[in-house]
Amino acid sequence: MMTSKELFLSTLRQEQTEYVPFFPRDLTLGMDTVPARTDEVFHDDGYDAELSAKCVLALQDLLNSDCNVGCIFTYGLEAFGGLTKFSENGIPYVSGYCFEDYDNIDRYEPSQILDGYLYKGMRRSCEIVHDKRPDSAIAINVPGPMTMAGFARGLETLMMDLALNPELADRILRFSIDAIRYEMLGMAEDVADCIFFASASDNPDMIGDDFMERSIPGIEELTKYAHKEGLPTIFHPHGVFSTDDRSDALESSIATGIDGFQFSEGNDASAIADKCRGRCSVLGGVDAYSTLLLGPDKRIVRDTNRFIDIMKDEPYIMMCSCSVNRGLSLNNLKVMADTIADHNKNVGF
C-alpha cells in the first residue's frame, strides 16, 4: 500500500486516478484545532515553530488529509520593511506595504527575504512537520507573481502603476519574482514535495491582459526553477478559466509546465478537466465561501460527491475552492473529509 505522500504525488504526476487525495491547504485553521491564539504563534519579533507544527498536525489528524503546507502561514514581508498585524484570535493581515514608498525598493535585495523572522519560523515549522509526519506530503505555499507584488506595493497602488507607470510596476514585479524564488527554494530544501503558487491577484478577471503578459511568464520562470530541484508545481490563480473566452488563459497556464492546476470558485470543473487532460493534474472542489462556511452537512456531502463524480478517471486532488482559515467550521470540513474517505474506501483504499 502506498503512503499518503506517495498517493498524493502519484496523482500530481498523473499516474493514478482511483484514489482521491485530500489537500485542504490550511493556512491558519489549525490554530482552532489545538486551540492556540494567533498571537501565540506569531509575535512582533518571533514565531513559535513548535506550536505552528502542533497546529498543522492537529488538523491533519482530524481530517486524515494527504498534504499540508507545513506551517501556520502568513504573507508578511517584514524582511523588506512590511508590517503584519496579529490579533489575538484573528487571521494575520498586512497593514503596511513594504514598497508603498517606491524608493524603499532600493534599500533591499530579493534574497533578504531569507533573513525575515517569519520565513525562518515557517521554515522551522516545516522541518518539524516533515520529521514527525514523513509519510505525508508538504506543499510550500508561496504567492504568485502579481500576488506578491500586490503584497509589496499595495494592490490598488500596483493596479494604478500598471496603468500609468508600467516600468515601475515591472520593477516591483521583477523583485517579487526573485523573492519568491528564494523563498520557495529555501523553504522547500530537504523538507517539501511540491510548490504551490497561491495566486489570488494573478486573476484575469481583475488584471486583464496583465495576466498573460506578466503572471504567465513569472509562473513559467518559477516553475523551471522548481523543476530543476525536482519539485512539481501547482498553480492556483483566481478568476474564471472554463469559458470559451478564457481558453487562451487556461492554455497558457498549462503551457508554463505546471504539474497541477487548481481552479477557484465559479468554474466549470469538467471544462477545466477537458483542457488539462494528459497535460497536468486537476485540483479544486467545494466552495469554501458558501458550501463549507454555511453548510449544512447534506449540501457538503452532495457537493463533495459531485466533484468526485465529475473527476472520475481523472488525476484529481480534492481541495476547497481556496485556502481554509481559522473561523471556518471544523465540523463542516470534517464532513467533507469523511465523504472523501468513504469514496476512497469504496474503491479499495
Side-chain angles (χ1 to χ4, degrees):
M1 175 69 76
M2 288 194 288
T3 65
S4 188
K5 176 192 291 189
E6 290 168 341
L7 286 164
F8 177 88
L9 291 174
S10 65
T11 308
L12 190 56
R13 293 190 299 260
Q14 306 176 71
E15 294 172 355
Q16 75 86 36
T17 60
E18 289 188 307
Y19 181 86
V20 177
F22 182 34
F23 175 29
R25 198 165 68 95
D26 163 45
L27 301 186
T28 60
L29 183 59
M31 291 188 287
D32 284 348
T33 314
V34 170
R37 297 198 317 268
T38 304
D39 59 3
E40 289 180 305
V41 175
F42 301 95
H43 309 285
D44 289 338
D45 58 353
Y47 179 100
D48 191 330
E50 292 279 353
L51 181 55
S52 167
K54 181 179 179 180
C55 293
V56 170
L57 295 173
L59 186 66
Q60 187 159 34
D61 286 341
L62 177 68
L63 302 178
N64 196 31
S65 51
D66 299 283
C67 182
N68 61 66
V69 303
C71 61
I72 299 299
F73 186 85
T74 182
Y75 294 101
L77 297 178
E78 87 294 344
F80 308 126
L83 181 63
T84 306
K85 293 289 188 180
F86 311 108
S87 58
E88 182 174 322
N89 288 300
I91 299 169
Y93 64 95
V94 177
S95 65
Y97 302 108
C98 55
F99 299 148
E100 186 172 14
D101 178 351
Y102 175 70
D103 291 339
N104 283 344
I105 198 170
D106 293 323
R107 301 185 176 98
Y108 297 98
E109 295 294 332
S111 61
Q112 288 178 263
I113 197 168
L114 305 181
D115 299 329
Y117 76 88
L118 291 175
Y119 165 83
K120 292 177 180 178
M122 291 189 294
R123 160 72 195 186
R124 178 58 189 145
S125 176
C126 291
E127 292 173 346
I128 296 168
V129 170
H130 174 266
D131 290 344
K132 292 189 174 182
R133 201 64 52 82
D135 291 339
S136 177
I138 292 178
I140 295 302
N141 189 92
V142 293
M146 293 292 286
T147 304
M148 174 73 99
F151 284 123
R153 177 70 164 157
L155 187 56
E156 290 184 5
T157 305
L158 180 67
M159 297 295 286
M160 291 295 293
D161 294 337
L162 288 166
L164 302 176
N165 196 343
E167 290 184 0
L168 184 155
D170 282 337
R171 187 178 176 203
I172 293 174
L173 184 65
R174 179 69 261 163
F175 187 103
S176 298
I177 292 170
D178 289 340
I180 294 167
R181 172 168 57 92
Y182 282 110
E183 181 181 24
M184 74 176 188
L185 297 180
M187 288 278 286
E189 186 177 5
D190 296 328
V191 298
D193 302 288
C194 62
I195 304 296
F196 188 96
F197 297 119
S199 308
S201 300
D202 294 87
N203 179 344
D205 293 350
M206 182 173 70
I207 63 175
D209 291 341
D210 288 313
F211 178 80
M212 300 288 277
E213 294 173 6
R214 291 178 166 85
S215 293
I216 288 297
I219 291 296
E220 183 172 18
E221 178 182 339
L222 291 166
T223 291
K224 287 179 180 177
Y225 280 117
H227 283 174
K228 285 181 181 178
E229 302 301 321
L231 294 164
T233 62
I234 300 164
F235 184 31
H236 175 46
H238 277 224
V240 175
F241 285 80
S242 56
T243 54
D244 289 343
D245 62 323
R246 288 291 165 75
S247 178
D248 287 349
L250 180 54
E251 170 64 32
S252 295
S253 297
I254 299 168
T256 61
I258 56 172
D259 301 274
F261 181 88
Q262 186 199 346
F263 59 89
S264 63
E265 63 279 348
N267 280 277
D268 178 346
S270 60
I272 299 289
D274 287 344
K275 195 78 168 180
C276 292
R277 188 171 298 119
R279 304 174 69 195
C280 70
S281 62
V282 181
L283 302 91
V286 174
D287 194 315
Y289 302 109
S290 57
T291 302
L292 274 179
L293 183 64
L294 302 175
D297 290 4
K298 184 181 294 186
R299 182 184 181 191
I300 296 169
V301 171
R302 181 199 68 198
D303 284 8
T304 302
N305 282 326
R306 178 170 62 87
F307 281 109
I308 291 173
D309 185 61
I310 290 171
M311 295 296 177
K312 185 179 180 182
D313 301 323
E314 305 287 349
Y316 172 56
I317 295 168
M318 173 70 83
M319 299 183 68
C320 312
S321 62
C322 195
S323 60
V324 295
N325 284 285
R326 68 180 322 166
L328 183 71
S329 168
L330 289 169
N331 174 73
N332 287 1
L333 197 56
K334 182 70 163 60
V335 170
M336 180 182 176
D338 289 347
T339 305
I340 300 167
D342 287 343
H343 162 80
N344 288 329
K345 288 177 185 175
N346 289 335
V347 296
F349 288 90

